[in-house]
Amino acid sequence: VQLQASGGGLVQAGDSLRLSCAGSGRTFSNYAMGWFRQVPGKEREFVAAIKWNGDSPYYADSVKGRFTISRDNAKNMAYLQMNSLKPEDTAVYFCAVDRKIRRTVVAGTRWSYDYWGQGTQVTVSS
């Protein structure tokens, strides 16, 4: 199983970015997908997740109303649209695949995901 995250970059506060996650090696349409982020010295934190069928997007309070998670199962892709970016959104962003097939309620914990992409850096300047 491989995940490839892309789309990060350096932007100014208030700008938007769209992250993409390309998956291979698993029938991703059967698994929830999640996005997490991490800054040096801190634990990886949950950002957003979406069910295997695209239902029930779930967000961390810190990004609710600004970020939107989506997926295209036909392309084995997941996305994170990030609007109104803030300097505190600066982090390395990781996509991940749920370890449980067709989980009924998306999970916001790291240990619920068993495969991770390599991360893409997002830097938001003030």
Side-chain angles (χ1 to χ4, degrees):
V1 177
Q2 289 189 328
L3 297 174
Q4 181 76 32
S6 61
L10 172 63
V11 298
Q12 293 186 331
D15 285 351
S16 298
L17 277 177
R18 188 193 195 206
L19 305 184
S20 298
C21 178
S24 62
R26 174 180 277 187
T27 306
F28 286 95
S29 58
N30 285 327
Y31 296 87
M33 298 289 293
W35 286 95
F36 290 72
R37 65 187 182 187
Q38 189 170 21
V39 297
K42 292 189 176 181
E43 292 192 354
R44 193 167 298 186
E45 67 171 2
F46 170 76
V47 175
I50 190 167
K51 280 182 67 174
W52 57 273
N53 59 0
D55 287 345
S56 305
Y58 175 54
Y59 300 95
D61 288 342
S62 58
V63 306
K64 201 172 295 183
R66 299 187 298 121
F67 290 12
T68 302
I69 188 172
S70 61
R71 65 189 297 159
D72 185 340
N73 284 342
K75 297 180 179 179
N76 279 355
M77 296 289 296
Y79 306 97
L80 185 67
Q81 177 66 43
M82 306 186 295
N83 298 330
S84 302
L85 282 162
K86 303 175 181 180
E88 51 263 44
D89 294 319
T90 295
V92 177
Y93 284 71
F94 299 87
C95 59
V97 181
D98 197 340
R99 66 174 65 249
K100 183 177 180 180
I101 191 170
R102 298 198 175 190
R103 190 186 298 270
T104 54
V105 178
V106 290
T109 55
R110 287 178 296 164
W111 46 86
S112 298
Y113 297 82
D114 58 354
Y115 288 101
W116 296 80
Q118 85 290 358
T120 184
Q121 176 71 47
V122 172
T123 303
V124 185
S125 63
S126 57

